[in-house]
Amino acid sequence: MAKTKRGRVLWSLPSRGRGTCPVCSSTRIKLLYPRAKSDGTAVKVCKRCCNAPQNKVDAITG
Ligand SMILES: [Zn+2]
């Protein structure tokens, strides 16, 4: 299986896979972990937040 969270593949992603985490507001962090809000909206969160409780994900606005 190809590594999709490190190395060259990241450079092909928008913003090279980095951005501001909507859960913990860390800037320039790698957003590689998809989470789904209860309303079905897909959001990308950082490594620290991939195991965040669902209520933290649901609290994301926008
Ligand atoms: Zn985060």
Side-chain angles (χ1 to χ4, degrees):
M1 200 174 88
K3 293 176 197 171
T4 56
K5 290 179 169 58
R6 58 173 72 177
R8 199 183 307 135
V9 289
L10 295 178
W11 293 72
S12 64
L13 297 174
S15 304
R16 293 175 178 160
R18 288 181 187 263
T20 303
C21 176
V23 178
C24 64
S25 300
S26 290
T27 56
R28 300 291 299 154
I29 203 165
K30 286 195 279 188
L31 301 177
L32 300 175
Y33 300 82
R35 288 292 304 262
K37 292 163 70 174
S38 292
D39 62 5
T41 310
V43 290
K44 293 259 190 160
V45 302
C46 72
K47 187 177 190 174
R48 281 166 52 190
C49 299
C50 65
N51 293 317
Q54 188 67 42
N55 64 331
K56 287 271 191 184
V57 179
D58 290 340
I60 301 168
T61 53

